[in-house]
Amino acid sequence: MTAEPITLSSSRPGAVDAEATVGTPAAHACACGHEGEEKIVLDSRTIPHAIRHATIFGALGAIKPGFALDLVASHNPLPLLGQLESSRPGEFLISYLENGPETWTIRLTRAN
């Protein structure tokens, strides 16, 4: 079995990087080498199925209130959204940015 790379980016696939087109990005507090982002993009299609939900929940746990994660999926992630609402009721606002038929992109914004 070959491991597939997990792809994280600061924009949806094919989107124009807003920071590259507008002024200087805001200062970033840690020394990780990345600028502070109000949202990140997690392409779940590259995550092995056996660990996909756990990976997504781990990423969501790292999101600060007011920040967002754009989740890209190959199907409508209703089971995942059901688990999210069951385990963390009202913690994330959910908006569909892209609604199939081949790709779904959902913005999950941490409310509290």
Side-chain angles (χ1 to χ4, degrees), residues 30-101:
C30 75
C32 70
H34 293 94
E35 295 300 326
E37 302 284 340
E38 288 194 15
K39 69 179 175 83
I40 59 169
V41 176
L42 176 59
D43 190 340
S44 68
R45 299 171 297 181
T46 63
I47 302 170
H49 188 266
I51 61 167
R52 188 169 297 153
H53 282 200
T55 302
I56 295 167
F57 276 94
L60 289 172
I63 303 295
K64 295 178 185 176
F67 286 69
L69 180 144
D70 288 356
L71 177 66
V72 179
S74 60
H75 64 281
N76 192 350
L78 292 174
L80 176 93
L81 297 177
Q83 286 179 333
L84 180 63
E85 187 56 31
S86 175
S87 66
R88 301 174 183 183
E91 194 169 328
F92 289 91
L93 304 172
I94 299 165
S95 5
Y96 281 78
L97 303 177
E98 189 174 358
N99 199 7

